[in-house]
Amino acid sequence: MKMLLAIINHDDSRNVMNDLVKSGFSITKLASTGGFLRAGNVTILIGLDDSRLNEALAIIREHSITRRQLVPSMADLGMTAVSSAPIEISVGGATVFVLNVEQFEKM
Ligand code: 2BA
């Protein structure tokens, strides 16, 4: 068994979750905040059988869009020692961690 921990842009999360649930995956949504942008994103926990790993990854990949985003300045992010000029960064699609599950119990 695997546990997918997928960090997804808030705007993509509805489509990702809809398709995962429609395909029969059990999921849990957590409201999370990125440490760099300090903006809200969504973390989805998905416990699944090894045989369905690629299917779940394909659904997440399909709906997670990479965006270019202008960050006003590094100083605004609390990094005063770094440049204060605006920077453009690439955010997303999704950041996914695949973990092996040692034991799974429902009580
Ligand atoms: P944030 O930490 O808010 O990061 C948003 C985007 O800012 C990142 O997009 C990346 O393009 C950029 N970024 C992050 N740290 C940076 C830095 N030190 N210098 C310059 N640019 C930086 P993504 O890589 O797509 O990440 C989106 C969100 O996924 C992150 O939001 C964070 O919540 C999560 N994430 C990404 N990698 C992670 C990791 N290794 N561990 C835990 N969470 C992670």
Side-chain angles (χ1 to χ4, degrees):
M1 186 177 194
K2 302 281 190 220
M3 169 64 69
L4 292 192
L5 214 153
I7 303 163
I8 294 169
N9 188 291
H10 187 269
D11 296 339
D12 299 329
S13 61
R14 179 188 288 260
N15 288 335
V16 171
M17 289 194 302
N18 281 349
D19 259 17
L20 286 169
V21 170
K22 226 187 287 171
S23 300
F25 290 101
S26 292
I27 66 175
T28 296
K29 171 190 170 187
L30 305 174
S32 45
T33 303
F36 187 67
L37 294 180
R38 313 286 159 90
N41 51 31
V42 170
T43 298
I44 303 175
L45 307 182
I46 313 155
L48 43 68
D49 209 72
D50 290 31
S51 62
R52 300 198 71 194
L53 175 61
N54 288 336
E55 190 186 344
L57 289 174
I59 291 171
I60 296 167
R61 193 174 290 117
E62 183 185 347
H63 297 293
S64 299
I65 297 159
T66 302
R67 299 166 172 82
R68 302 292 299 169
Q69 193 168 328
L70 201 62
V71 178
S73 81
M74 298 289 263
D76 290 345
L77 298 169
M79 301 181 191
T80 44
V82 196
S83 162
S84 62
I87 51 165
E88 196 180 44
I89 57 169
S90 166
V91 185
T95 299
V96 182
F97 298 90
V98 182
L99 312 175
N100 284 320
V101 174
E102 201 166 301
Q103 193 171 341
F104 171 67
E105 306 274 357
K106 266 191 169 170
M107 297 171 198

